[in-house]
Amino acid sequence: MTTPRPLVRPARVLAAALAAGTLFATAACSGSDSSASPEADASSTVAERGVAAQTTSPSASSPSASASPSDLSEEGARNALITPADIEDDWTQVRNPSEWRDSLLVGSVDVAAFVDGQSDTQDCQRLTDALFDETLLGKPTGASAVTGFQQGDSRLLYQVAAYDKADLDDSMQWLSELPDTCDQFTLTGGDAGERTVQVIETSLPQVGDNRQGLTVTVKGESNGDPVTLSLDVAVVQIGADAITVTNGGLEGADHDTTSAAVEQGTQRLQEVLAGRTPSPTPSGIN
């Protein structure tokens, strides 16, 4: 939510006008070109980042207060990825989760094809198109790294990436509106026929500068059998960087795993943005 800007008092307007007039006269007399100093530019940049960070984390010591998109290198993005120890249970890391966008066979159900369909609403279409993709927040403009895990009939896709800050802000706003704009809609087309999709908001750990949690449920038929796919979608923003989690399957979404991925993943990304390499997560975390 954008903080309302305070009203400018008439006295301040007059003072600003007088100051502007004085500067103009001084420049005219000296014939020199007045410009801001590098220190002033740096102060302005830090102030702007500080305002962005105050969504939930106003502390000036937050990594987002000094981090910029270029601070996240490809190596840093890889180091910020979670490991099986971060989410515990019996999750197994997969070799190439990027292939899930084309085909994700769970039992006899191709989950990727099951969510591939057409919606009458553009916002809802954007959501279903990106559920097993790396474009939920748009195309990264900087470093990006992806990993994936599987456990029984559940799959977890995890991404760390740098974005254009304004575009990322817009994507976070779009996600926050989905429980209203796409609370229930229909997917058509493909081999699965009509599917009913529901989107509800879910809570996440209070981490990062901004965050959004959703649970997406898709109900329909596959090979003549009823199918219900439940997915947690979780995003945490830190400045112009973000982590994205899609977790779930045909047996429901494990919200505890989603929360663990968010909490541990945010900590790892903050370590990277602070210039450190995250330590390996010990087994048996709480």
Side-chain angles (χ1 to χ4, degrees):
M1 175 177 292
T2 302
T3 304
R5 298 185 61 166
L7 295 175
V8 179
R9 299 183 182 273
R12 293 179 60 187
V13 173
L14 178 59
L18 290 173
T22 301
L23 288 174
F24 178 79
T26 301
C29 293
S30 63
S32 61
D33 181 21
S34 175
S35 60
S37 66
E39 291 80 2
D41 288 340
S43 297
S44 175
T45 301
V46 171
E48 289 172 0
R49 291 171 181 161
V51 170
Q54 286 177 13
T55 304
T56 54
S57 302
S59 173
S61 62
S62 170
S64 62
S66 59
S68 65
S70 61
D71 288 337
L72 184 64
S73 65
E74 293 291 343
E75 181 182 8
R78 292 191 297 270
N79 287 336
L81 292 173
I82 59 172
T83 69
D86 291 307
I87 49 180
E88 289 195 309
D89 294 334
D90 296 319
W91 291 95
T92 302
Q93 195 163 7
V94 300
R95 176 172 296 180
N96 189 8
S98 295
E99 295 177 348
W100 289 353
R101 70 169 70 97
D102 300 318
S103 178
L104 178 57
L105 193 65
V106 178
S108 61
V109 179
D110 186 339
V111 174
F114 186 65
V115 299
D116 183 21
Q118 299 298 316
S119 168
D120 292 335
T121 306
Q122 183 177 357
D123 286 340
C124 307
Q125 185 72 57
R126 175 182 171 184
L127 172 65
T128 56
D129 285 348
L131 283 176
F132 289 104
D133 205 340
E134 297 104 70
T135 61
L136 184 70
L137 296 176
K139 186 177 180 180
T141 57
S144 177
V146 179
T147 189
F149 307 86
Q150 63 182 25
Q151 177 180 253
D153 286 341
S154 295
R155 302 292 183 270
L156 190 152
L157 182 67
Y158 188 93
Q159 181 183 22
V160 177
Y163 302 87
D164 175 83
K165 178 63 164 56
D167 290 344
L168 179 56
D169 289 340
D170 289 343
S171 294
M172 295 299 294
Q173 180 65 31
W174 164 70
L175 284 172
S176 71
E177 295 170 353
L178 288 181
D180 293 325
T181 58
C182 299
D183 59 335
Q184 182 166 311
F185 62 97
T186 301
L187 278 180
T188 59
D191 297 333
E194 287 194 354
R195 285 134 289 165
T196 300
V197 185
Q198 292 181 315
V199 180
I200 63 172
E201 186 171 17
T202 56
S203 61
L204 295 177
Q206 297 293 305
V207 293
D209 298 337
N210 193 7
R211 70 206 66 81
Q212 183 61 53
L214 306 170
T215 295
V216 181
T217 304
V218 186
K219 294 183 178 181
E221 290 187 356
S222 178
N223 300 320
D225 296 323
V227 172
T228 298
L229 173 69
S230 297
L231 296 171
D232 276 351
V233 177
V235 176
V236 176
Q237 177 184 7
I238 302 177
D241 306 312
I243 63 173
T244 305
V245 182
T246 303
N247 167 42
L250 304 179
E251 296 180 353
D254 185 342
H255 303 305
D256 289 341
T257 295
T258 302
S259 294
V262 163
E263 198 160 20
Q264 297 297 319
T266 301
Q267 181 176 336
R268 293 182 69 87
L269 179 55
Q270 287 174 331
E271 288 278 324
V272 167
L273 294 177
R276 298 186 292 269
T277 300
S279 301
T281 304
S283 59
I285 61 172
N286 294 323

